[in-house]
Amino acid sequence: NAGVTQTPKFQVLKTGQSMTLQCAQDMNHNSMYWYRQDPGMGLRLIYYSASEGTTDKGEVPNGYNVSRLNKREFSLRLESAAPSQTSVYFCASSVGSTGELFFGEGSRLTVL
Amino acid sequence: AQSVTQLGSHVSVSEGALVLLRCNYSSSVPPYLFWYVQYPNQGLQLLLKYTSAATLVKGINGFEAEFKKSETSFHLTKPSAHMSDAAEYFCAVTFSGGYNKLIFGAGTRLAVHP
């Protein structure tokens, strides 16, 4: 019973490098999300996908792109990493509008 | 602007003592309110939620929260703290009319001492 799976769990990048965080869910949820978690700031929404084929910006989208590859998978790409993007990234999914999210275990990214 | 505020970034209690974590929101429309818990090095998991049914909501692990519209609050309580309750707790809110997006509070880290 995997739920939401994120890869990689840890990554260190140099400024300017690119990378993609992968997320997959096996709960047949329509909606998927990417959040970042920083100390004292709670979770902030980067992008979300209400359903397969759609994506929308959240609160802090600058410097990121996303792809909803299919119903299961939602990836987050950093094209040119910056130290300000050092954070813990969480992928989440939900059935619909109840607001109950199911989270992955997180991906800790450090940009030097 | 709609927002959620958690009072106290750190709360420390003794094992067996009452746990009270505070959450207030600002909104002109009825909210859906949630408490999530995050154990070290894990993702968040739902503790309980309020969606306009009973104002006193019971969650997992003995936690409960009461929605008080007049005070715009949704405080989380547990009568007797256990060592395993040590974690970070997040209050979150979403509002009718908007799409399914949660606004999270900054979090409260709960420490439980023997």
Side-chain angles (χ1 to χ4, degrees), chain A residues 31 33 37 94 96 98-99 101, chain B residues 34 36 38 43 46 90 99-100 105:
Chain A
S31 306
Y33 311 79
Q37 183 180 29
S94 68
T98 63
L101 296 177
Chain B
F34 305 80
Y36 283 84
Q38 183 181 29
L46 184 67
F90 293 92
Y99 194 76
N100 181 27

Side-chain angles (χ1 to χ4, degrees), chain A residues 31 33 35 37 40-43 45 48 50 90 94 96-101 103-106 108, chain B residues 32 34 36 38 41-46 49 51 88 90 94 99-107:
Chain A
S31 306
Y33 311 79
Y35 285 90
Q37 183 180 29
M41 303 188 75
L43 276 75
L45 183 65
Y48 70 102
F90 288 97
S94 68
S97 61
T98 63
E100 179 174 354
L101 296 177
F103 285 84
E105 293 189 344
R108 185 175 296 275
Chain B
Y32 295 90
F34 305 80
Y36 283 84
Q38 183 181 29
N41 299 315
Q42 294 186 26
L44 282 71
Q45 62 185 84
L46 184 67
K49 63 179 179 180
T51 56
E88 189 156 20
F90 293 92
T94 187
Y99 194 76
N100 181 27
K101 294 179 285 184
L102 287 180
I103 301 171
F104 285 87

Side-chain angles (χ1 to χ4, degrees), chain B residues 18-107:
Chain B
L18 171 72
V19 175
L20 171 60
L21 304 181
R22 300 177 185 273
C23 174
N24 289 86
Y25 68 92
S26 63
S27 170
S28 58
V29 297
Y32 295 90
L33 294 154
F34 305 80
W35 277 99
Y36 283 84
V37 59
Q38 183 181 29
Y39 298 104
N41 299 315
Q42 294 186 26
L44 282 71
Q45 62 185 84
L46 184 67
L47 203 55
L48 51 80
K49 63 179 179 180
Y50 166 78
T51 56
S52 76
T55 57
L56 182 62
V57 181
K58 294 187 183 299
I60 60 173
N61 301 335
F63 284 93
E64 62 182 35
E66 185 173 8
F67 171 63
K68 292 186 177 181
K69 184 178 179 180
S70 61
E71 299 178 8
T72 61
S73 68
F74 190 57
H75 301 333
L76 182 70
T77 60
K78 182 174 181 178
S80 177
H82 191 272
M83 297 294 288
S84 61
D85 295 327
E88 189 156 20
Y89 293 79
F90 293 92
C91 182
V93 59
T94 187
F95 303 96
S96 58
Y99 194 76
N100 181 27
K101 294 179 285 184
L102 287 180
I103 301 171
F104 285 87

Side-chain angles (χ1 to χ4, degrees), chain A residues 5 20 26 41 46 48 69 81-82 88 107:
Chain A
T5 303
T20 300
D26 62 2
M41 303 188 75
I46 305 171
Y48 70 102
L69 305 171
V88 181
S107 299

Side-chain angles (χ1 to χ4, degrees), chain A residues 1-92:
Chain A
N1 199 9
V4 179
T5 303
Q6 295 180 228
T7 56
K9 287 186 168 40
F10 300 94
Q11 184 72 49
V12 178
L13 292 177
K14 294 181 180 179
T15 297
Q17 288 185 318
S18 63
M19 76 158 298
T20 300
L21 299 176
Q22 306 286 355
C23 175
Q25 53 94 6
D26 62 2
M27 296 174 284
N28 202 35
H29 286 170
N30 290 321
S31 306
M32 298 185 73
Y33 311 79
W34 277 106
Y35 285 90
R36 59 179 289 172
Q37 183 180 29
D38 301 291
M41 303 188 75
L43 276 75
R44 293 180 292 168
L45 183 65
I46 305 171
Y47 271 94
Y48 70 102
S49 171
S51 60
E52 185 179 355
T54 69
T55 60
D56 285 287
K57 295 178 180 179
E59 182 183 357
V60 288
N62 291 344
Y64 305 94
N65 285 300
V66 291
S67 296
R68 183 75 183 266
L69 305 171
N70 47 54
K71 191 171 186 178
R72 291 185 65 250
E73 299 173 288
F74 188 39
S75 63
L76 178 72
R77 182 161 179 83
L78 287 70
E79 291 290 354
S80 179
S84 61
Q85 294 178 305
T86 293
S87 188
V88 181
Y89 292 86
F90 288 97
C91 178

